[in-house]
Amino acid sequence: SFNEENGTHLVSVGAIHYEPFGIYPGKSNDLENIADGATIAVPNDTTNEARALQLLAAQGIITVRDGAGLTATVNDIEEIEAAQLPRTVADVDFAVINGNYAMEAGFSVGTDALAIEDASSEAAQTYANVLVVKEGNENNPAIQALYAALTSDTIKDFINNTYDGAVVPIF
């Protein structure tokens, strides 16, 4: 859609990493016993909202229409701008927060999140951060060398040791 909206011809060289969504506790911290009327906040933009709904569905908290995938929408949940979610955790029972916003707010994906997106999930695979170039440059030796460096064990170890699960290598 970026290419369509901007008149560009960009192509992916390959996936590098993703920032997993997590379900973070607010007023409640037990995903097994969610009270009737509990409030779960999710991002209000289309892409992130669908990812949040998929994570909630993967945990058995909600049911998403068969085939909805990453086009899922909400009917009866509170939507909040993704960047604002960490600030609202105390006001809701649970919040589904993007990995980058959770990390910026001081949350640890590994210890604070009650559940996170799996690296093999449709969302993680679809919305991985990718190395992108103008179409026709994807096989350029310099680009291939950059991709090889970005997908090296050194970079994988750096990501794993630096971001505490908030950034996950996907190569």
PDB file of all heavy atoms in Angstrom, residues 139-163:
ATOM      1  N   ASN A 139      19.261  -6.949  -5.949  1.00  0.00           N
ATOM      2  CA  ASN A 139      20.373  -7.889  -6.137  1.00  0.00           C
ATOM      3  C   ASN A 139      21.729  -7.199  -6.237  1.00  0.00           C
ATOM      4  O   ASN A 139      22.738  -7.855  -6.506  1.00  0.00           O
ATOM      5  CB  ASN A 139      20.121  -8.756  -7.374  1.00  0.00           C
ATOM      6  CG  ASN A 139      18.924  -9.660  -7.168  1.00  0.00           C
ATOM      7  OD1 ASN A 139      18.775 -10.254  -6.107  1.00  0.00           O
ATOM      8  ND2 ASN A 139      18.060  -9.733  -8.163  1.00  0.00           N
ATOM      9  N   ASN A 140      21.763  -5.913  -6.013  1.00  0.00           N
ATOM     10  CA  ASN A 140      23.016  -5.158  -6.008  1.00  0.00           C
ATOM     11  C   ASN A 140      23.948  -5.779  -4.954  1.00  0.00           C
ATOM     12  O   ASN A 140      23.518  -6.036  -3.827  1.00  0.00           O
ATOM     13  CB  ASN A 140      22.701  -3.690  -5.675  1.00  0.00           C
ATOM     14  CG  ASN A 140      23.928  -2.832  -5.610  1.00  0.00           C
ATOM     15  OD1 ASN A 140      24.834  -3.090  -4.828  1.00  0.00           O
ATOM     16  ND2 ASN A 140      23.928  -1.777  -6.402  1.00  0.00           N
ATOM     17  N   PRO A 141      25.207  -6.026  -5.292  1.00  0.00           N
ATOM     18  CA  PRO A 141      26.126  -6.660  -4.338  1.00  0.00           C
ATOM     19  C   PRO A 141      26.251  -5.894  -3.009  1.00  0.00           C
ATOM     20  O   PRO A 141      26.347  -6.519  -1.945  1.00  0.00           O
ATOM     21  CB  PRO A 141      27.467  -6.690  -5.085  1.00  0.00           C
ATOM     22  CG  PRO A 141      27.083  -6.688  -6.533  1.00  0.00           C
ATOM     23  CD  PRO A 141      25.835  -5.849  -6.618  1.00  0.00           C
ATOM     24  N   ALA A 142      26.234  -4.580  -3.061  1.00  0.00           N
ATOM     25  CA  ALA A 142      26.333  -3.811  -1.817  1.00  0.00           C
ATOM     26  C   ALA A 142      25.087  -4.020  -0.946  1.00  0.00           C
ATOM     27  O   ALA A 142      25.192  -4.137   0.279  1.00  0.00           O
ATOM     28  CB  ALA A 142      26.523  -2.326  -2.123  1.00  0.00           C
ATOM     29  N   ILE A 143      23.924  -4.082  -1.567  1.00  0.00           N
ATOM     30  CA  ILE A 143      22.676  -4.320  -0.835  1.00  0.00           C
ATOM     31  C   ILE A 143      22.682  -5.724  -0.250  1.00  0.00           C
ATOM     32  O   ILE A 143      22.299  -5.941   0.902  1.00  0.00           O
ATOM     33  CB  ILE A 143      21.447  -4.107  -1.748  1.00  0.00           C
ATOM     34  CG1 ILE A 143      21.385  -2.660  -2.245  1.00  0.00           C
ATOM     35  CG2 ILE A 143      20.163  -4.531  -1.042  1.00  0.00           C
ATOM     36  CD1 ILE A 143      21.285  -1.611  -1.150  1.00  0.00           C
ATOM     37  N   GLN A 144      23.118  -6.694  -1.033  1.00  0.00           N
ATOM     38  CA  GLN A 144      23.194  -8.063  -0.531  1.00  0.00           C
ATOM     39  C   GLN A 144      24.185  -8.184   0.620  1.00  0.00           C
ATOM     40  O   GLN A 144      23.956  -8.926   1.578  1.00  0.00           O
ATOM     41  CB  GLN A 144      23.548  -9.033  -1.669  1.00  0.00           C
ATOM     42  CG  GLN A 144      22.409  -9.239  -2.653  1.00  0.00           C
ATOM     43  CD  GLN A 144      21.175  -9.804  -1.979  1.00  0.00           C
ATOM     44  OE1 GLN A 144      21.235 -10.803  -1.272  1.00  0.00           O
ATOM     45  NE2 GLN A 144      20.043  -9.146  -2.186  1.00  0.00           N
ATOM     46  N   ALA A 145      25.294  -7.432   0.550  1.00  0.00           N
ATOM     47  CA  ALA A 145      26.275  -7.431   1.648  1.00  0.00           C
ATOM     48  C   ALA A 145      25.658  -6.817   2.907  1.00  0.00           C
ATOM     49  O   ALA A 145      25.868  -7.315   4.022  1.00  0.00           O
ATOM     50  CB  ALA A 145      27.537  -6.681   1.238  1.00  0.00           C
ATOM     51  N   LEU A 146      24.886  -5.732   2.731  1.00  0.00           N
ATOM     52  CA  LEU A 146      24.211  -5.105   3.870  1.00  0.00           C
ATOM     53  C   LEU A 146      23.204  -6.078   4.487  1.00  0.00           C
ATOM     54  O   LEU A 146      23.153  -6.242   5.707  1.00  0.00           O
ATOM     55  CB  LEU A 146      23.507  -3.822   3.428  1.00  0.00           C
ATOM     56  CG  LEU A 146      22.662  -3.124   4.499  1.00  0.00           C
ATOM     57  CD1 LEU A 146      23.501  -2.735   5.708  1.00  0.00           C
ATOM     58  CD2 LEU A 146      21.961  -1.913   3.881  1.00  0.00           C
ATOM     59  N   TYR A 147      22.428  -6.746   3.647  1.00  0.00           N
ATOM     60  CA  TYR A 147      21.451  -7.713   4.153  1.00  0.00           C
ATOM     61  C   TYR A 147      22.157  -8.845   4.908  1.00  0.00           C
ATOM     62  O   TYR A 147      21.713  -9.264   5.982  1.00  0.00           O
ATOM     63  CB  TYR A 147      20.594  -8.271   3.011  1.00  0.00           C
ATOM     64  CG  TYR A 147      19.583  -9.270   3.484  1.00  0.00           C
ATOM     65  CD1 TYR A 147      18.510  -8.864   4.277  1.00  0.00           C
ATOM     66  CD2 TYR A 147      19.697 -10.620   3.171  1.00  0.00           C
ATOM     67  CE1 TYR A 147      17.577  -9.790   4.736  1.00  0.00           C
ATOM     68  CE2 TYR A 147      18.776 -11.539   3.623  1.00  0.00           C
ATOM     69  CZ  TYR A 147      17.718 -11.121   4.413  1.00  0.00           C
ATOM     70  OH  TYR A 147      16.804 -12.026   4.870  1.00  0.00           O
ATOM     71  N   ALA A 148      23.264  -9.325   4.362  1.00  0.00           N
ATOM     72  CA  ALA A 148      24.019 -10.391   5.034  1.00  0.00           C
ATOM     73  C   ALA A 148      24.513  -9.912   6.399  1.00  0.00           C
ATOM     74  O   ALA A 148      24.452 -10.651   7.388  1.00  0.00           O
ATOM     75  CB  ALA A 148      25.192 -10.846   4.165  1.00  0.00           C
ATOM     76  N   ALA A 149      24.969  -8.666   6.474  1.00  0.00           N
ATOM     77  CA  ALA A 149      25.433  -8.126   7.756  1.00  0.00           C
ATOM     78  C   ALA A 149      24.274  -7.995   8.742  1.00  0.00           C
ATOM     79  O   ALA A 149      24.401  -8.343   9.925  1.00  0.00           O
ATOM     80  CB  ALA A 149      26.100  -6.766   7.539  1.00  0.00           C
ATOM     81  N   LEU A 150      23.127  -7.517   8.264  1.00  0.00           N
ATOM     82  CA  LEU A 150      21.965  -7.318   9.144  1.00  0.00           C
ATOM     83  C   LEU A 150      21.355  -8.624   9.632  1.00  0.00           C
ATOM     84  O   LEU A 150      20.653  -8.642  10.646  1.00  0.00           O
ATOM     85  CB  LEU A 150      20.891  -6.487   8.431  1.00  0.00           C
ATOM     86  CG  LEU A 150      21.230  -5.019   8.204  1.00  0.00           C
ATOM     87  CD1 LEU A 150      20.165  -4.362   7.331  1.00  0.00           C
ATOM     88  CD2 LEU A 150      21.366  -4.291   9.533  1.00  0.00           C
ATOM     89  N   THR A 151      21.621  -9.711   8.915  1.00  0.00           N
ATOM     90  CA  THR A 151      21.078 -11.011   9.312  1.00  0.00           C
ATOM     91  C   THR A 151      22.170 -11.943   9.838  1.00  0.00           C
ATOM     92  O   THR A 151      21.984 -13.160   9.873  1.00  0.00           O
ATOM     93  CB  THR A 151      20.324 -11.677   8.135  1.00  0.00           C
ATOM     94  OG1 THR A 151      21.212 -11.800   7.023  1.00  0.00           O
ATOM     95  CG2 THR A 151      19.100 -10.861   7.738  1.00  0.00           C
ATOM     96  N   SER A 152      23.250 -11.369  10.285  1.00  0.00           N
ATOM     97  CA  SER A 152      24.364 -12.163  10.813  1.00  0.00           C
ATOM     98  C   SER A 152      24.112 -12.567  12.268  1.00  0.00           C
ATOM     99  O   SER A 152      23.268 -11.993  12.956  1.00  0.00           O
ATOM    100  CB  SER A 152      25.663 -11.347  10.737  1.00  0.00           C
ATOM    101  OG  SER A 152      25.600 -10.254  11.659  1.00  0.00           O
ATOM    102  N   ASP A 153      24.863 -13.544  12.731  1.00  0.00           N
ATOM    103  CA  ASP A 153      24.777 -13.957  14.132  1.00  0.00           C
ATOM    104  C   ASP A 153      25.166 -12.816  15.062  1.00  0.00           C
ATOM    105  O   ASP A 153      24.634 -12.702  16.166  1.00  0.00           O
ATOM    106  CB  ASP A 153      25.673 -15.173  14.386  1.00  0.00           C
ATOM    107  CG  ASP A 153      25.090 -16.451  13.792  1.00  0.00           C
ATOM    108  OD1 ASP A 153      23.871 -16.483  13.511  1.00  0.00           O
ATOM    109  OD2 ASP A 153      25.861 -17.422  13.612  1.00  0.00           O
ATOM    110  N   THR A 154      26.085 -11.962  14.620  1.00  0.00           N
ATOM    111  CA  THR A 154      26.494 -10.814  15.441  1.00  0.00           C
ATOM    112  C   THR A 154      25.311  -9.890  15.696  1.00  0.00           C
ATOM    113  O   THR A 154      25.080  -9.465  16.834  1.00  0.00           O
ATOM    114  CB  THR A 154      27.637 -10.036  14.743  1.00  0.00           C
ATOM    115  OG1 THR A 154      28.746 -10.922  14.551  1.00  0.00           O
ATOM    116  CG2 THR A 154      28.066  -8.836  15.556  1.00  0.00           C
ATOM    117  N   ILE A 155      24.554  -9.594  14.658  1.00  0.00           N
ATOM    118  CA  ILE A 155      23.381  -8.721  14.809  1.00  0.00           C
ATOM    119  C   ILE A 155      22.304  -9.440  15.615  1.00  0.00           C
ATOM    120  O   ILE A 155      21.654  -8.839  16.481  1.00  0.00           O
ATOM    121  CB  ILE A 155      22.850  -8.257  13.446  1.00  0.00           C
ATOM    122  CG1 ILE A 155      23.881  -7.367  12.752  1.00  0.00           C
ATOM    123  CG2 ILE A 155      21.511  -7.530  13.591  1.00  0.00           C
ATOM    124  CD1 ILE A 155      24.249  -6.093  13.506  1.00  0.00           C
ATOM    125  N   LYS A 156      22.083 -10.707  15.365  1.00  0.00           N
ATOM    126  CA  LYS A 156      21.098 -11.474  16.132  1.00  0.00           C
ATOM    127  C   LYS A 156      21.433 -11.432  17.620  1.00  0.00           C
ATOM    128  O   LYS A 156      20.564 -11.165  18.464  1.00  0.00           O
ATOM    129  CB  LYS A 156      21.041 -12.919  15.648  1.00  0.00           C
ATOM    130  CG  LYS A 156      19.984 -13.756  16.377  1.00  0.00           C
ATOM    131  CD  LYS A 156      19.982 -15.199  15.900  1.00  0.00           C
ATOM    132  CE  LYS A 156      19.196 -15.273  14.624  1.00  0.00           C
ATOM    133  NZ  LYS A 156      18.968 -16.656  14.169  1.00  0.00           N
ATOM    134  N   ASP A 157      22.704 -11.667  17.945  1.00  0.00           N
ATOM    135  CA  ASP A 157      23.123 -11.616  19.348  1.00  0.00           C
ATOM    136  C   ASP A 157      22.952 -10.214  19.929  1.00  0.00           C
ATOM    137  O   ASP A 157      22.513 -10.061  21.068  1.00  0.00           O
ATOM    138  CB  ASP A 157      24.582 -12.058  19.490  1.00  0.00           C
ATOM    139  CG  ASP A 157      24.774 -13.547  19.209  1.00  0.00           C
ATOM    140  OD1 ASP A 157      23.773 -14.305  19.213  1.00  0.00           O
ATOM    141  OD2 ASP A 157      25.940 -13.942  18.973  1.00  0.00           O
ATOM    142  N   PHE A 158      23.283  -9.191  19.152  1.00  0.00           N
ATOM    143  CA  PHE A 158      23.121  -7.806  19.611  1.00  0.00           C
ATOM    144  C   PHE A 158      21.659  -7.507  19.928  1.00  0.00           C
ATOM    145  O   PHE A 158      21.337  -6.967  20.983  1.00  0.00           O
ATOM    146  CB  PHE A 158      23.648  -6.813  18.569  1.00  0.00           C
ATOM    147  CG  PHE A 158      23.385  -5.391  18.936  1.00  0.00           C
ATOM    148  CD1 PHE A 158      24.204  -4.727  19.834  1.00  0.00           C
ATOM    149  CD2 PHE A 158      22.290  -4.712  18.414  1.00  0.00           C
ATOM    150  CE1 PHE A 158      23.948  -3.406  20.201  1.00  0.00           C
ATOM    151  CE2 PHE A 158      22.022  -3.404  18.766  1.00  0.00           C
ATOM    152  CZ  PHE A 158      22.850  -2.744  19.664  1.00  0.00           C
ATOM    153  N   ILE A 159      20.771  -7.870  19.018  1.00  0.00           N
ATOM    154  CA  ILE A 159      19.344  -7.625  19.230  1.00  0.00           C
ATOM    155  C   ILE A 159      18.869  -8.367  20.479  1.00  0.00           C
ATOM    156  O   ILE A 159      18.210  -7.789  21.349  1.00  0.00           O
ATOM    157  CB  ILE A 159      18.519  -8.044  17.993  1.00  0.00           C
ATOM    158  CG1 ILE A 159      18.801  -7.093  16.813  1.00  0.00           C
ATOM    159  CG2 ILE A 159      17.027  -8.062  18.319  1.00  0.00           C
ATOM    160  CD1 ILE A 159      18.207  -7.565  15.485  1.00  0.00           C
ATOM    161  N   ASN A 160      19.201  -9.637  20.578  1.00  0.00           N
ATOM    162  CA  ASN A 160      18.747 -10.440  21.717  1.00  0.00           C
ATOM    163  C   ASN A 160      19.300  -9.933  23.045  1.00  0.00           C
ATOM    164  O   ASN A 160      18.603  -9.965  24.060  1.00  0.00           O
ATOM    165  CB  ASN A 160      19.109 -11.911  21.520  1.00  0.00           C
ATOM    166  CG  ASN A 160      18.249 -12.571  20.466  1.00  0.00           C
ATOM    167  OD1 ASN A 160      17.096 -12.206  20.257  1.00  0.00           O
ATOM    168  ND2 ASN A 160      18.809 -13.567  19.787  1.00  0.00           N
ATOM    169  N   ASN A 161      20.536  -9.469  23.042  1.00  0.00           N
ATOM    170  CA  ASN A 161      21.171  -9.013  24.283  1.00  0.00           C
ATOM    171  C   ASN A 161      20.832  -7.577  24.656  1.00  0.00           C
ATOM    172  O   ASN A 161      21.049  -7.170  25.788  1.00  0.00           O
ATOM    173  CB  ASN A 161      22.694  -9.172  24.191  1.00  0.00           C
ATOM    174  CG  ASN A 161      23.121 -10.616  24.108  1.00  0.00           C
ATOM    175  OD1 ASN A 161      22.481 -11.494  24.682  1.00  0.00           O
ATOM    176  ND2 ASN A 161      24.186 -10.876  23.374  1.00  0.00           N
ATOM    177  N   THR A 162      20.315  -6.805  23.716  1.00  0.00           N
ATOM    178  CA  THR A 162      20.075  -5.383  23.941  1.00  0.00           C
ATOM    179  C   THR A 162      18.628  -5.049  24.256  1.00  0.00           C
ATOM    180  O   THR A 162      18.357  -4.176  25.074  1.00  0.00           O
ATOM    181  CB  THR A 162      20.528  -4.567  22.714  1.00  0.00           C
ATOM    182  OG1 THR A 162      21.906  -4.871  22.446  1.00  0.00           O
ATOM    183  CG2 THR A 162      20.380  -3.070  22.943  1.00  0.00           C
ATOM    184  N   TYR A 163      17.683  -5.736  23.638  1.00  0.00           N
ATOM    185  CA  TYR A 163      16.291  -5.281  23.674  1.00  0.00           C
ATOM    186  C   TYR A 163      15.347  -6.104  24.545  1.00  0.00           C
ATOM    187  O   TYR A 163      14.148  -5.846  24.553  1.00  0.00           O
ATOM    188  CB  TYR A 163      15.756  -5.168  22.246  1.00  0.00           C
ATOM    189  CG  TYR A 163      16.488  -4.109  21.463  1.00  0.00           C
ATOM    190  CD1 TYR A 163      17.410  -4.445  20.486  1.00  0.00           C
ATOM    191  CD2 TYR A 163      16.290  -2.767  21.742  1.00  0.00           C
ATOM    192  CE1 TYR A 163      18.102  -3.472  19.794  1.00  0.00           C
ATOM    193  CE2 TYR A 163      16.972  -1.785  21.059  1.00  0.00           C
ATOM    194  CZ  TYR A 163      17.883  -2.147  20.078  1.00  0.00           C
ATOM    195  OH  TYR A 163      18.570  -1.178  19.400  1.00  0.00           O
TER     196      TYR A 163
END
